[in-house]
Amino acid sequence: MRTSRTRSFRIRPLRRGVAALFAGVLTVAALLAAGTTAHAAGTPLRDLAAAKGKVIGTAVTGSKLTGTYGDIAGGQFNSLTPGNAMKWGSVEPTRGSFNWAEADQIVAFAQAHDQQVRGHTLVWHSQNPSWLTNGTWTTAELSGLLQDHITTEVTRYKGELAAWDVVNEPFNEDGTYRSTLWYNGLGADYIAQALTWAHAADPSAKLYINDYNVEGVNAKSTALYDLVKSLKARGVPIDGVGLQAHLILGQVPGTLQQNIQRFADLGVDVAVTELDIRMQLPSDSTKLAQQAADYKAVFDACVAVTRCYGVTVWGFTDSDSWIPDVFSGYGAATPYDENYAPKPAYDAIAASLGGGTTTPPPTGACTATYSVQSQWNTGFTGQVRIACSGAALSSWKVNWTYGAGQRITQAWNATCTQSGAAVSCANASYNGSVPDGGSVTFGFNASWSGSNPVPTVTLG
Ligand code: G3I
């Protein structure tokens, strides 16, 4: 059942100002569109994806699932993959001694946010505990260890996970089997055995083989294709293939959709499981535009194939990406920047999922209203009210130009300066903040003679 999803908005103060004069009354309002870089601007990606019958996921780090990171992870995605927390080295660092804390935390967060969980990963050559990799095992012992590991972990989350990346990265680039603890010790059939054990432990979880550089049609993806075909023919429980998709800027394979389709035609689902698109740093607007096009191409390919289950990004923010640690000089690979501002790639994903607009519209406005409170033969008292609805300000400045020689003599609740006819009033130290739905006012005395027309006010 869906529980609450929080959305919060980060306001860009004073981004754009438009003055408007309302004729016939002593009031002038200046409109300020304020809003919206917000990480939840527009329809959340998860709702767009759901409307297309797709899943959109992100890899997450359990300890970060609070604040803005938690808001985005819970609000924009309908699937989570633990980036590291379910790997063997994480859950059983010492033989027989288990640590499920982060994995449990992620599953609980997902359930609280009506999200699926994609388990990652049961059989891999990397991030295994040292007691396992340093041990000397007979074939029977190794097989028993693997069966116990799979059975224990899959059983723990039985009925709670949508899918498991059962086997991770089994192939070399040329399509031969990777030389690993598992292949060397158990032979190629470790893959079928792992799938069979996982299925026995949780018949409802969808079971995947997951690899990188298998996004396009090539020797490696063809080896994976042949394996899946033979597993299906043997009746081994295989439900899907995961295309990791750790891509490089401008290099989305042209055969991506064709490749997804050929797996689908075998009768399995296809998921893009670890999408990121890295660029040489620093990023710039040209690279970010290319990245947006690349993200869109990947999502478009998935949307185009019915059996493409969905797309998971390998971390949604550049502050939580593995890329800079591993590819020196590269980064900026995710849809949100390091400060959680959505990048052009975010808009491109939304557009691919039917969001329709690439620029989120303003969500609200702040106005400044000038009025004359009282007037006598040589002077008057004026007031400006700044009010926000659907937006907020952290500081403000109001400007106008007098048309009949008026001069400010005194101001309160603002610092006003006048140069010739031009007046500029900025917030005092204590009233710069105007919350959504709130207002502040400041006042002033001024001199006039002849006439006292109301000026046009701008907020900016
Ligand atoms: O947890 C320790 C921390 O205590 C220590 O201070 C720190 C010092 O380096 O290391 C931390 O562990 C790191 C771990 O990520 C958690 O952040 C490891 O060094 C680091 O090697 C590990 O990297 C992970 C990588 O898999 C390992 O191969 C990445 O986070 C993770 O995103 C990445 O994910 C893989 C997928 O599982 C499979 N496909 C490729 C993908 C990218 O490599």
Side-chain angles (χ1 to χ4, degrees):
M1 191 179 74
R2 170 161 293 192
T3 54
S4 66
R5 280 194 279 124
T6 34
R7 281 196 240 161
S8 54
F9 292 81
R10 200 173 59 109
I11 301 301
R12 269 196 207 138
L14 307 186
R15 199 172 62 155
R16 186 152 54 95
V18 181
L21 172 66
F22 300 111
V25 293
L26 287 178
T27 300
V28 173
L31 293 178
L32 174 77
T36 76
T37 54
H39 46 77
T43 306
L45 297 180
R46 60 181 291 169
D47 295 343
L48 296 173
K52 292 269 183 198
K54 302 293 178 186
V55 163
I56 183 163
T58 180
V60 289
T61 303
S63 60
K64 298 182 180 176
L65 284 170
T66 60
T68 305
Y69 183 101
D71 286 348
I72 297 173
Q76 294 286 333
F77 300 93
N78 55 18
S79 175
L80 300 183
T81 301
N84 289 296
M86 288 186 174
K87 292 170 181 172
W88 198 335
S90 299
V91 301
E92 195 182 4
T94 304
R95 189 173 182 185
S97 169
F98 294 90
N99 180 358
W100 304 106
E102 187 188 353
D104 286 355
Q105 180 202 352
I106 291 169
V107 171
F109 182 96
Q111 290 173 347
H113 293 79
D114 191 27
Q115 296 170 302
Q116 299 184 3
V117 177
R118 183 176 190 88
H120 176 84
T121 178
L122 296 169
V123 192
W124 195 20
H125 60 273
S126 184
Q127 286 182 284
N128 287 317
S130 53
W131 64 262
L132 175 68
T133 52
N134 293 341
T136 304
W137 315 103
T138 65
T139 301
E141 286 170 335
L142 196 59
S143 178
L145 284 167
L146 185 59
Q147 181 173 7
D148 285 350
H149 166 63
I150 290 172
T151 303
T152 301
E153 184 154 8
V154 176
T155 300
R156 181 176 183 85
Y157 298 107
K158 182 179 180 183
E160 299 191 278
L161 269 54
W164 270 106
D165 291 329
V166 177
V167 178
N168 200 35
E169 302 174 359
F171 288 109
N172 294 314
E173 298 305 291
D174 65 1
T176 58
Y177 282 107
R178 186 192 287 267
S179 169
T180 69
L181 176 66
W182 310 115
Y183 179 74
N184 297 338
L186 304 175
D189 225 37
Y190 82 89
I191 296 172
Q193 289 173 324
L195 289 161
T196 302
W197 293 327
H199 183 69
D202 185 355
S204 69
K206 300 297 183 190
L207 305 182
Y208 281 66
I209 302 173
N210 189 49
D211 215 326
Y212 62 88
N213 288 350
V214 292
E215 294 75 34
V217 175
N218 57 35
K220 192 174 186 179
S221 66
T222 299
L224 178 58
Y225 177 89
D226 291 340
L227 171 64
V228 170
K229 192 174 180 180
S230 81
L231 291 171
K232 291 282 288 181
R234 289 168 57 192
V236 175
I238 171 79
D239 299 296
V241 296
L243 315 180
Q244 291 187 6
H246 295 293
L247 301 177
I248 300 170
L249 192 71
Q251 296 184 27
V252 178
T255 53
L256 174 61
Q257 185 178 324
Q258 175 193 341
N259 192 42
I260 294 172
Q261 187 66 59
R262 72 170 172 158
F263 281 105
D265 291 344
L266 282 180
V268 293
D269 291 337
V270 180
V272 176
T273 51
E274 305 183 17
L275 177 61
D276 49 30
I277 301 176
R278 61 185 179 270
M279 63 180 71
Q280 206 158 12
L281 297 173
S283 72
D284 59 33
S285 58
T286 305
K287 293 178 191 174
L288 291 173
Q290 177 66 55
Q291 185 184 53
D294 292 346
Y295 265 93
K296 185 163 185 307
V298 174
F299 275 80
D300 283 351
C302 186
V303 167
V305 180
T306 306
R307 284 204 79 145
C308 185
Y309 187 70
V311 178
T312 288
V313 294
W314 203 243
F316 60 84
T317 162
D318 292 339
S319 67
D320 186 40
S321 169
W322 68 296
I323 295 291
D325 293 338
V326 175
F327 296 99
S328 179
Y330 282 79
T334 77
Y336 285 81
D337 74 13
E338 296 190 338
N339 299 313
Y340 302 120
K343 294 157 59 179
Y346 174 96
D347 295 334
I349 294 169
S352 179
L353 294 173
T357 173
T358 55
T359 307
T363 55
C366 296
T367 59
T369 304
Y370 177 112
S371 58
V372 173
Q373 303 285 293
S374 61
Q375 185 171 305
W376 56 99
N377 56 351
T378 57
F380 68 98
T381 297
Q383 178 181 282
V384 175
R385 179 170 184 266
I386 300 152
C388 292
S389 176
L393 299 172
S394 57
S395 65
W396 46 263
K397 185 178 276 189
V398 181
N399 301 306
W400 66 87
T401 302
Y402 278 130
Q406 302 100 317
R407 289 209 65 82
I408 302 275
T409 55
Q410 180 191 10
W412 50 95
N413 297 333
T415 302
C416 293
T417 57
Q418 184 167 359
S419 174
V423 177
S424 182
C425 296
N427 62 272
S429 58
Y430 50 84
N431 65 357
S433 171
V434 186
D436 185 357
S439 66
V440 299
T441 59
F442 68 91
F444 56 89
N445 286 334
S447 62
W448 69 284
S449 66
S451 67
N452 186 19
V454 171
T456 299
V457 179
T458 58
L459 178 60

